[in-house]
């Protein structure tokens, strides 16, 4: 009849991360299928935090997603749980309750959510109005009550294994969680005094922030990239940072690169790369996209 029908087919996506024991498949129709290792501690998957730090035993549950789950936009994974952000702005969780799989205690606040982040055993959700809701194990950032009054006008959240760092609209930073994973707010305030942050990146136990002046401030476990003093003189005019499990890579405005952290995870002597446009990372390696000339 001369009519035109347009359809957009959304590709399927798989969500997980380097410390998760499971995968979640988000189908094009917004439904989810998840699977993983149901064992308490599988070979090669030893917990990063011991039982005392987890404030309880780790008993991983079944990873099956709720049968009626649909309209999913994005999924985040902790070590043994998932949180799904729906198109309505609501959040649905499943998995081990000790690892963030039970969000019933904060369900009333999980509305109008725009972003999710996951640590090893906790989640943080950013609301449309800039407030933050957290749940899961308190040792990994699941309890943000001590900084609740500061968690307003939040623009961005980054997560290490055991802590969260939030960038506010005014460029200041709020952190909470385990001190040995970058969650010590006193250190951050001293390092960032007077500096306004435009982006935060995280390794498994450290954070790195780019200031609006193009400098970089890092904190957390020094062996995981928390100490950038060795290369601080080179961290000028930085426009992008990415991280592996224990190292950071900074892309400068002139197209050159700077690394720091653990050598085995990418902080090695770099080849003579110039005209780099973008950088990417896996759990233990970096890749650079060069400008074609």
């Amino acid at each position: 009849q001369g009519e035109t029908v347009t359809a957009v087919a959304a590709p399927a996506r798989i969500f997980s991360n380097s410390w998760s024991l499971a995968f979640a498949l988000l189908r094009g129709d917004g439904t989810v299928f998840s699977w993983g290792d149901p064992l308490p501690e599988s070979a090669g998957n030893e917990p990063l935090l011991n039982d005392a730090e987890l404030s309880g035993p780790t008993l991983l549950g079944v990873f099956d997603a709720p049968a009626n789950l649909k309209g999913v936009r994005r999924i985040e994974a902790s070590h043994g749980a998932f949180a799904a952000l729906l198109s309505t702005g609501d959040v649905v969780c499943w998995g081990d309750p000790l690892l963030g799989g039970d969000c019933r205690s904060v369900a009333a606040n999980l509305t109008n959510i725009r972003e999710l982040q996951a640590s090893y055993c906790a989640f943080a959700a950013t609301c449309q109005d800039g407030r933050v809701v957290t749940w899961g194990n308190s040792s990994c950032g699941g309890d943000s009550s001590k900084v609740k009054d500061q968690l307003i006008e939040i623009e961005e959240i980054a997560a290490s294994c055991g802590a969260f760092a939030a960038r506010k609209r005014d460029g200041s930073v709020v952190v909470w969680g385990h001190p040995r994973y970058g969650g010590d707010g006193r250190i951050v305030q001293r390092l960032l005094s007077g500096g306004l942050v435009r982006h935060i990146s995280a390794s498994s136990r450290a954070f790195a922030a780019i200031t609006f002046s193009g400098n970089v401030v890092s904190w957390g476990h020094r062996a995981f990239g928390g100490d950038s003093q060795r290369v601080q003189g080179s961290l000028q005019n930085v426009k992008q940072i990415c991280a592996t499990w224990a190292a950071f890579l900074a892309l400068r405005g002139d197209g050159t690169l700077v690394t720091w952290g653990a050598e085995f995870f990418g902080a090695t002597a770099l080849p003579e790369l110039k005209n780099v446009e973008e950088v990417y990372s896996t759990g233990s390696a970096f890749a650079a996209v060069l400008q074609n000339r």
Side-chain angles (χ1 to χ4, degrees):
Q1 304 291 327
E3 297 179 354
T4 301
V5 177
T6 302
V8 178
R13 291 179 290 167
I14 293 179
F15 293 90
S16 188
N17 60 40
S18 56
W19 54 72
S20 176
L21 292 182
F23 295 93
L25 170 67
L26 175 55
R27 302 184 180 99
D29 62 0
T31 59
V32 175
F33 173 75
S34 57
W35 69 99
D37 186 348
L39 300 178
E41 293 178 16
S42 300
N45 286 302
E46 294 297 323
L48 298 177
L49 305 178
N50 60 40
D51 285 350
E53 292 174 312
L54 285 168
S55 303
T58 302
L59 299 174
L60 300 178
V62 177
F63 292 112
D64 292 342
N68 59 347
L69 186 59
K70 57 183 180 180
V72 175
R73 202 171 73 203
R74 181 168 181 81
I75 301 171
E76 289 290 335
S78 71
H79 182 60
F82 291 102
L85 176 58
L86 308 186
S87 57
T88 59
D90 298 322
V91 173
V92 175
C93 306
W94 67 97
D96 192 323
L98 292 178
L99 301 177
D102 185 353
C103 56
R104 288 176 295 179
S105 62
V106 295
N109 298 320
L110 287 175
T111 59
N112 295 317
I113 303 301
R114 73 164 189 261
E115 180 188 1
L116 290 173
Q117 282 289 352
S119 69
Y120 187 80
C121 49
F123 293 91
T126 308
C127 304
Q128 293 290 351
D129 62 6
R131 294 178 298 107
V132 174
V133 182
T134 60
W135 68 97
N137 195 284
S138 59
S139 297
C140 296
D143 180 3
S144 57
S145 58
K146 291 183 179 179
V147 295
K148 180 180 179 180
D149 293 341
Q150 302 175 54
L151 291 176
I152 57 174
E153 299 184 333
I154 300 302
E155 295 285 327
E156 172 192 31
I157 295 180
S160 70
C161 276
F164 294 95
R167 177 177 59 84
K168 301 180 67 170
R169 187 178 303 164
D170 63 4
S172 60
V173 173
V174 182
V175 302
W176 68 97
H178 202 299
R180 292 199 288 113
Y181 291 76
D184 191 334
R186 296 168 300 176
I187 294 177
V188 176
Q189 296 311 314
R190 176 173 57 82
L191 292 173
L192 289 174
S193 57
L196 300 182
V197 170
R198 65 177 174 86
H199 178 66
I200 306 173
S201 184
S203 70
S204 63
R205 297 182 69 163
F207 294 93
I210 307 175
T211 67
F212 277 99
S213 60
N215 299 322
V216 172
V217 175
S218 61
W219 67 93
H221 198 299
R222 62 182 304 166
F224 290 73
D227 183 359
S228 56
Q229 287 301 310
R230 181 180 59 83
V231 295
Q232 194 58 229
S234 301
L235 291 174
Q236 310 291 327
N237 192 25
V238 173
K239 68 176 187 178
Q240 183 189 353
I241 288 180
C242 63
T244 62
W245 183 258
F248 291 93
L249 175 69
L251 170 60
R252 303 194 300 183
D254 62 0
T256 58
L257 303 173
V258 182
T259 63
W260 70 98
E263 184 174 325
F264 183 78
F265 288 92
T268 57
L270 292 169
E272 291 296 322
L273 293 179
K274 297 181 180 179
N275 303 317
V276 176
E277 287 192 333
E278 290 182 279
V279 289
Y280 298 89
S281 62
T282 63
S284 57
F286 295 108
V289 178
L290 306 182
Q291 180 181 4
N292 260 333
R293 294 206 170 197

